[in-house]
Amino acid sequence: QVQLVESGGGLVQAEGSLRLSCAASGRSFGGYTMAWFRQAPGKEREYVAGIDWSGFLPHYADSVKGRFTISRDNAKNTVYLQMNSLKPEDTAVYYCTAGRRFRATLTPDYAYWGLGTRVTVSS
């Protein structure tokens, strides 16, 4: 079992930045692919970014490429999402998740989920 707790969400103006954190507890954090998904009101949950167990292979959705950076610190059991140049369309609840497949972009590929942290970007 892996428990995930997100933090760092909030209200920010367009072109601003936020850094999300996801603290993991439980077993073998270092063995999991970690990812961030988001869900906007009335929309399906969508993949944002993922990173392999080593932290050297990040992967991004086209919509955030060049603006968001995913990273992880296995010693601290934490994964991060640095979000720059935020846009109103980035407004969503952001979820941290853990799974076993590298570069998996579908929700069924991930076994463990946090409760989410809300990000609101004002124009």
Side-chain angles (χ1 to χ4, degrees):
Q1 285 281 353
V2 177
Q3 293 80 42
L4 304 170
V5 179
E6 303 95 336
S7 61
L11 173 64
V12 63
Q13 289 189 330
E15 296 304 314
S17 298
L18 279 176
R19 188 194 197 202
L20 306 184
S21 298
C22 172
S25 59
R27 54 185 295 176
S28 304
F29 169 78
Y32 285 91
T33 289
M34 301 298 296
W36 290 92
F37 281 68
R38 66 186 181 187
Q39 188 165 18
K43 295 188 177 181
E44 297 205 350
R45 195 169 296 189
E46 65 174 2
Y47 176 83
V48 175
I51 194 163
D52 74 307
W53 67 270
S54 74
F56 289 114
L57 296 173
H59 180 249
Y60 300 96
D62 288 342
S63 59
V64 306
K65 203 171 293 184
R67 300 188 298 123
F68 291 11
T69 302
I70 187 171
S71 61
R72 67 189 293 166
D73 185 337
N74 287 341
K76 296 182 178 179
N77 284 4
T78 303
V79 62
Y80 305 96
L81 186 68
Q82 177 67 44
M83 305 186 296
N84 298 329
S85 302
L86 282 161
K87 305 175 181 180
E89 51 263 44
D90 294 317
T91 294
V93 176
Y94 283 71
Y95 297 90
C96 175
T97 185
R100 291 294 191 182
R101 293 185 59 197
F102 176 54
R103 291 194 175 182
T105 61
L106 302 178
T107 54
D109 293 321
Y110 292 89
Y112 304 104
W113 293 83
L115 296 179
T117 185
R118 186 175 300 276
V119 172
T120 303
V121 184
S122 63
S123 57

